[in-house]
Amino acid sequence: MGMGCAGCGVHGPWQQQGWMVTYRTEVDPVAASRLLPPDLTPVLYPSSTKVWTNVTYADVTAAQYSQSSVGGFNELTISLPTLQKQGTGPTSGMVLQSYTDSTQASDCRSARWGTNSSSGSGFKISHGSTLGVPYVSVEVKTSSSLFAKQIATVTFYYNKSFEAGQETGVCKDDYQVGNCTLWRPNLGLLGGKWYAFDVNATGEVQPVLSRTSVGSGAGAWSSLDLGDSFIPAQRAVYQQNSEVVWADPVPA
């Protein structure tokens, strides 16, 4: 483990509390394949916007955690749904890149789950309102320097009047609105071997409309062409007062 991983522990669940916003958008599976290790392939889905066309999805999540095993931190994560070419495991998310302003959180992500995580990123988070519609905006740069390159800016416009129902248990789908627990299986590469780990997020979910601008400081994932596009509300959600639990990895 890295020097900054003290406090995250080797075993047992990693818990963090705060808010998170996430969206899913269609991307070119050929471009996605180029970003994956050779033994993984992107999951294909029929496009909802193009006839007779298969796509894959990119998931983008921005979060501000007030509590965790290593204190509070901000995070931006980009991932793809994948399958192992030689295997029968379930569809899992592969984290292409995560950015955080906490060295400890970054080290723990890499050491415990094998995710590609970078620390030292500069985050600027703002809340406001446009024509009466509330929003939260997350700007991420390569460092906290005034002249640092922009990685991405994600703005989420959400439904202020929404009130969650009394749903409990596991969410029926990835973007169910209400109070429920969203389970996401993931893959990590540890010591040259694939491991699976779960991320469970519970909290009030509101539908939102999101817009992303990708800057020159983004990594290879910028080839997914996520920039400057509005994502429909049914594929973007805002979880307030969310509790997220990362489970220990097991052989995939």
Side-chain angles (χ1 to χ4, degrees):
M1 290 187 178
M3 294 299 291
C5 198
C8 75
V10 179
H11 300 292
W14 165 291
Q15 293 179 286
Q16 53 203 37
Q17 292 181 325
W19 56 259
M20 61 189 299
V21 278
T22 185
Y23 76 82
R24 173 171 290 178
T25 186
E26 296 182 359
V27 296
D28 178 12
V30 175
S33 295
R34 297 192 185 109
L35 300 175
L36 295 173
D39 46 353
L40 293 182
T41 184
V43 180
L44 299 180
Y45 304 89
S47 173
S48 61
T49 59
K50 300 177 182 178
V51 179
W52 305 113
T53 300
N54 284 331
V55 298
T56 191
Y57 293 130
D59 289 329
V60 179
T61 300
Q64 184 174 65
Y65 299 114
S66 57
Q67 299 179 38
S68 80
S69 299
V70 295
F73 65 94
N74 299 306
E75 187 172 48
L76 175 70
T77 302
I78 299 91
S79 61
L80 292 171
T82 59
L83 286 171
Q84 290 178 269
K85 292 181 179 179
Q86 304 296 328
T88 57
T91 301
S92 300
M94 175 68 187
V95 178
L96 297 177
Q97 184 67 55
S98 70
Y99 303 93
T100 175
D101 51 6
S102 167
T103 299
Q104 288 180 303
S106 176
D107 284 352
C108 289
R109 291 281 194 267
S110 300
R112 288 195 60 179
W113 298 282
T115 62
N116 190 9
S117 184
S118 298
S119 62
S121 303
F123 281 74
K124 179 181 179 181
I125 297 175
S126 58
H127 299 263
S129 177
T130 300
L131 298 178
V133 179
Y135 69 82
V136 55
S137 181
V138 180
E139 180 184 28
V140 187
K141 293 186 175 183
T142 53
S143 74
S144 57
S145 168
L146 180 63
F147 304 102
K149 293 182 179 179
Q150 182 198 55
I151 295 171
T153 298
V154 189
T155 304
F156 297 85
Y157 303 88
Y158 59 96
N159 187 348
K160 184 178 180 181
S161 63
F162 170 81
E163 292 186 7
Q166 299 301 313
E167 298 90 345
T168 58
V170 177
C171 299
K172 298 180 179 67
D173 57 62
D174 286 350
Y175 295 95
Q176 178 180 335
V177 173
N179 267 318
C180 58
T181 298
L182 177 62
W183 172 74
R184 289 185 183 274
N186 293 268
L187 280 176
L189 188 61
L190 291 169
K193 296 181 180 180
W194 288 110
Y195 287 84
F197 60 93
D198 300 333
V199 178
N200 294 283
T202 301
E204 180 179 315
V205 178
Q206 298 185 354
V208 301
L209 181 70
S210 64
R211 186 172 188 174
T212 297
S213 173
V214 179
S216 60
W221 60 267
S222 62
S223 63
L224 294 174
D225 193 23
L226 302 179
D228 205 27
S229 58
F230 279 103
I231 307 301
Q234 65 269 26
R235 286 187 178 170
V237 293
Y238 175 29
Q239 285 185 268
Q240 295 175 304
N241 303 315
S242 179
E243 180 177 51
V244 183
V245 180
W246 293 55
D248 279 346
V250 296

